[in-house]
Amino acid sequence: MTGEVAGRLPPQAGSVLVITALLSTIGLVMVYSATAPFALGEFVPPHFVRQLVGLAMGLVLAFVASRMTPEQWRSVALPLWGAAILMLVLVPLIGDKVNGSRRWLTVPGLGFQFQPSEFARWATLVAVVTVLAGRDQVARRAASAPFGALALAAIPAGLIFIEPDTGSAIVLLGLVAVLLFVAGTALRIFVVPAGLLGAALAVAIARRPYVA
């Protein structure tokens, strides 16, 4: 895709924009209605303000992403994945612990909390897509590409699993499995990873008071 093509919105962009606007509006309404009774002395509920700030940041990032070409995405895929891994490593060291799980990081000076696992899930999918797309360009990499994709997914999934955030780890691995399947990966390659995942879940169920 050239820069000129990337600068124009595809025909389906209108539907995506409408759905995004609808979901964002519903989210704002739900946050306001759920938090307003707990902030009767405030002009605007603080959680609603945080939701607005997050939405504004998301819109800016979405605009930037829409202007990037596939070549640019390929160049930033692994650096983004590396940044996600770094943040996941920081979580057990300096992360905020809530209800027995340490999943959040706080931006110093701003008091803004975020879950690195959410960023890691997106960054991992971008990295996996980049690896799977590259295998068609170099024939000798075709056979090893699925294993590279699995490695890219296993590292963040493992770090997320020990937070513990079992649900997010399973979602990440499931999304990567779908990408591998759509890319034509042989089903036999899924056997060992599926067995390891099943064993990890069995250990988690046996040793944790709850799996979430």
Side-chain angles (χ1 to χ4, degrees):
M1 181 184 295
T2 64
E4 181 181 357
V5 175
R8 296 199 299 265
L9 292 176
Q12 65 270 27
S15 300
V16 174
L17 292 174
V18 170
I19 293 173
T20 302
L22 180 61
L23 292 175
S24 299
T25 302
I26 293 175
L28 287 173
V29 172
M30 295 298 291
V31 169
Y32 183 86
S33 62
T35 60
F38 301 100
L40 296 178
E42 303 284 345
F43 179 71
V44 179
H47 288 286
F48 180 74
V49 174
R50 289 175 58 185
Q51 185 77 1
L52 280 176
V53 171
L55 177 59
M57 294 173 59
L59 290 174
V60 173
L61 292 174
F63 175 78
V64 173
S66 70
R67 311 301 296 181
M68 293 177 64
T69 64
E71 291 76 16
Q72 291 172 326
W73 278 113
R74 281 191 284 269
S75 67
V76 301
L78 290 180
L80 287 173
W81 181 85
I85 296 302
L86 176 60
M87 287 189 287
L88 289 175
V89 170
L90 290 175
V91 168
L93 300 176
I94 61 173
D96 301 318
K97 191 172 185 179
V98 180
N99 295 329
S101 295
R102 198 180 298 273
R103 305 177 183 176
W104 292 265
L105 289 179
T106 301
V107 179
L110 298 179
F112 178 77
Q113 273 189 333
F114 69 99
Q115 279 189 274
S117 60
E118 298 297 329
F119 175 76
R121 183 161 49 197
W122 170 77
T124 299
L125 293 178
V126 173
V128 167
V129 168
T130 300
V131 169
L132 294 178
R135 71 178 183 170
D136 296 328
Q137 301 172 11
V138 183
R140 61 185 176 84
R141 291 175 52 195
S144 61
F147 297 100
L150 286 172
L152 287 172
I155 295 174
L159 291 171
I160 294 171
F161 181 77
I162 65 177
E163 289 182 357
D165 190 356
T166 309
S168 293
I170 292 175
V171 169
L172 172 58
L173 293 174
L175 290 173
V176 171
V178 171
L179 288 177
L180 288 168
F181 179 77
V182 172
T185 302
L187 292 179
R188 65 178 182 276
I189 294 179
F190 293 96
V191 175
V192 173
L196 293 175
L197 177 60
L201 284 176
V203 172
I205 293 172
R207 301 189 61 178
R208 295 176 183 174
Y210 67 93
V211 178

